[in-house]
Amino acid sequence: MTIGLLGMGTIGSGVFEIAQSLEGVHVKKVLEKRFQAEYITDNIEEIVNDPEIELVVETMGGLHPAYEFASQALSHGKHFVTANKLLVSVYGPELTKLAKEKGVAFLYGAACGGGIAYLANLEIARNIDRIVALGGILNGTTNYILDSMQSRNMDYATALSEAQALGYAERDPSSDVDGLDTMRKLILACAVGFDAYVAPEEIPTFGISAVLPLDVEQARAKGRVLRLCAFARRAEDGALSAWVEPTLVCAASPEAAILNNVNYAWYQGESYGLMSYTGQGAGKLPTAANVLRDVRSVAAGHRYMTGEKCAAAHPDNASARHAYYLRVPAGAELPAVWAAEKRCCGAWDVYEVKDAPVSEMHALAARIPGTFFAGVQEA
Ligand code: HSE
């Protein structure tokens, strides 16, 4: 397979490095502005118009010009493999359609789970089984922060700087800490697992930027551990619910055992039951290895990750409800219908909410600055 590689950053250089040792894989040209070498070009035309290049690998990240380059490559009949979750979460349906029209591949296995072959296995399962639920810990930066606060009593800012120094965080770490990176990966998992395209604005997403040591202490006092979790469920009648929120997981749960930047991605099939995958969700070589797994998979004839029936779906998160931990500024009012036990903690009121609709809890946090909440995992 002769490849044109777009971007020689962290993941791109990993792809280039690993490809050197792979038989039948040859990176012929690299699109990159920062370096010079005979295989490097700063002109996308030299890649998409090269008749020897069969497949374009995109590891630049960002939405533009990644989208324009993807469209160009597919339009020129090149297979396209990407690790770019933002690109796929926004333009996945359109690019898959274009790939189908052109009879070429569009694969993005490394865009959710980094080095973990989660989407690839989810796709195999979906072709056999009805996937009823999926989710997990899909962001290494936030897990690193929460685990550091929990196990090393580190403050939020120091833990975030460490995660940045270790290369886990996005260029703009707000997409990690605000849950957006997790939400984008959940969109990909819903497309592959449920054949459901969900728009980013339809997934209630709450991250960890408001978390305080007080929340970690409150979790510990209850024998719980804080994790940022993605969750989606598809009922038998097709109704979908999906959200991203911090979660108080049981100390004995698999999620609580996920430390540092490790990811934990799972799905539940009617026949398969619960299947879970752990490993490096980010990082140069693990992610690059997963990109190259997609390249091999294209060579073996694989073309698309979603099924023929994949269509737009609209989650109903008003009907989904569960128990919550909630911390609001002292005196803030909760909806009168919520049954909740209250504790006063200085400037904050902490509530154990017995049962609240997911969409209402997310809306409340958006209304009241400083609020932090976490879903309570069923014991
Ligand atoms: N910033 C992401 C993370 C990188 O922390 O998981 C991998 O998508």
Side-chain angles (χ1 to χ4, degrees), residues 346-371:
W348 304 101
D349 288 341
V350 168
Y351 289 92
E352 282 176 39
V353 181
K354 303 284 173 235
D355 179 54
V358 171
S359 52
E360 279 185 39
M361 181 56 81
H362 284 249
L364 178 126
R367 264 198 323 273
I368 309 176
T371 293

Side-chain angles (χ1 to χ4, degrees), residues 85 138-141 168-170 176 181 185 263 281-282:
K85 58 243 156 176
L138 304 178
N139 180 272
T141 302
Y168 305 145
E170 299 297 304
D176 293 299
D181 180 78
K185 291 166 177 166
N263 281 199

Side-chain angles (χ1 to χ4, degrees), residues 32-182:
E32 180 59 67
K33 284 200 167 75
R34 292 170 296 173
F35 318 113
Q36 284 195 334
E38 34 73 43
Y39 55 83
I40 286 189
T41 173
D42 62 359
N43 183 0
I44 184 72
E45 299 292 335
E46 281 191 33
I47 291 180
V48 296
N49 288 315
D50 185 329
E52 280 182 18
I53 290 179
E54 304 160 87
L55 187 151
V56 172
V57 169
E58 185 268 317
T59 55
M60 309 161 48
L63 212 44
H64 303 287
Y67 163 69
E68 288 74 16
F69 291 172
S71 305
Q72 263 180 283
L74 292 167
S75 298
H76 281 77
K78 312 290 184 199
H79 302 299
F80 197 81
V81 167
T82 180
N84 184 339
K85 58 243 156 176
L86 177 58
L87 174 70
V88 185
S89 66
V90 177
Y91 291 110
E94 181 185 325
L95 294 172
T96 302
K97 186 167 173 274
L98 180 57
K100 285 183 180 177
E101 280 164 19
K102 297 289 172 183
V104 290
F106 178 61
L107 301 187
Y108 42 85
C112 170
I116 309 170
Y118 171 60
L119 287 188
N121 282 291
L122 180 58
E123 184 192 347
I124 292 168
R126 182 212 64 224
N127 283 328
I128 293 157
D129 199 4
R130 193 178 84 80
I131 307 298
V132 293
L134 52 82
I137 296 169
L138 304 178
N139 180 272
T141 302
T142 45
N143 206 64
Y144 187 88
I145 294 171
L146 293 174
D147 180 37
S148 301
M149 291 177 78
Q150 173 93 23
S151 359
R152 297 192 281 156
N153 289 322
M154 194 176 267
D155 66 76
Y156 174 89
T158 313
L160 173 58
S161 315
E162 277 197 12
Q164 286 178 293
L166 288 163
Y168 305 145
E170 299 297 304
R171 240 172 290 170
D172 172 7
S174 64
S175 61
D176 293 299
V177 298
D178 292 336
L180 303 176
D181 180 78
T182 300

Side-chain angles (χ1 to χ4, degrees), residues 104-364:
V104 290
F106 178 61
L107 301 187
Y108 42 85
C112 170
I116 309 170
Y118 171 60
L119 287 188
N121 282 291
L122 180 58
E123 184 192 347
I124 292 168
R126 182 212 64 224
N127 283 328
I128 293 157
D129 199 4
R130 193 178 84 80
I131 307 298
V132 293
L134 52 82
I137 296 169
L138 304 178
N139 180 272
T141 302
T142 45
N143 206 64
Y144 187 88
I145 294 171
L146 293 174
D147 180 37
S148 301
M149 291 177 78
Q150 173 93 23
S151 359
R152 297 192 281 156
N153 289 322
M154 194 176 267
D155 66 76
Y156 174 89
T158 313
L160 173 58
S161 315
E162 277 197 12
Q164 286 178 293
L166 288 163
Y168 305 145
E170 299 297 304
R171 240 172 290 170
D172 172 7
S174 64
S175 61
D176 293 299
V177 298
D178 292 336
L180 303 176
D181 180 78
T182 300
M183 176 267 284
R184 289 170 189 140
K185 291 166 177 166
L186 184 61
I187 287 177
L188 271 51
C190 286
V192 174
F194 298 142
D195 267 335
Y197 287 134
V198 184
E201 61 278 9
E202 292 203 53
I203 299 190
T205 300
F206 187 67
I208 63 160
S209 51
V211 70
L212 295 177
L214 169 65
D215 304 311
V216 175
E217 280 160 30
Q218 296 282 319
R220 198 181 281 131
K222 291 275 169 192
R224 298 273 177 153
V225 175
L226 258 178
R227 293 287 180 256
L228 181 64
C229 293
F231 180 84
R233 184 191 302 127
R234 182 146 223 181
E236 220 160 319
D237 64 2
L240 189 72
S241 44
W243 59 81
V244 173
E245 61 189 24
T247 306
L248 288 187
V249 302
C250 305
S253 67
E255 288 89 345
I258 302 303
L259 308 180
N260 296 312
N261 70 317
V262 172
N263 281 199
Y264 166 76
W266 60 269
Y267 57 78
Q268 184 159 11
E270 256 173 7
S271 301
Y272 274 108
L274 180 68
M275 302 295 285
S276 60
Y277 302 79
T278 56
Q280 285 298 318
K284 174 177 163 173
L285 294 177
T287 310
N290 219 5
V291 167
L292 285 156
R293 193 198 45 76
D294 273 353
V295 170
R296 286 279 199 233
S297 176
V298 173
H302 189 206
R303 292 293 176 263
Y304 325 108
M305 304 191 73
T306 44
E308 289 305 319
K309 292 178 301 191
C310 194
H314 306 284
D316 170 15
N317 294 305
S319 314
R321 45 197 307 141
H322 52 251
Y324 278 102
Y325 161 88
L326 172 65
R327 171 180 52 74
V328 289
E333 289 201 1
L334 267 52
V337 289
W338 289 6
E341 271 177 38
K342 177 176 165 185
R343 291 190 291 282
C344 296
C345 297
W348 304 101
D349 288 341
V350 168
Y351 289 92
E352 282 176 39
V353 181
K354 303 284 173 235
D355 179 54
V358 171
S359 52
E360 279 185 39
M361 181 56 81
H362 284 249
L364 178 126

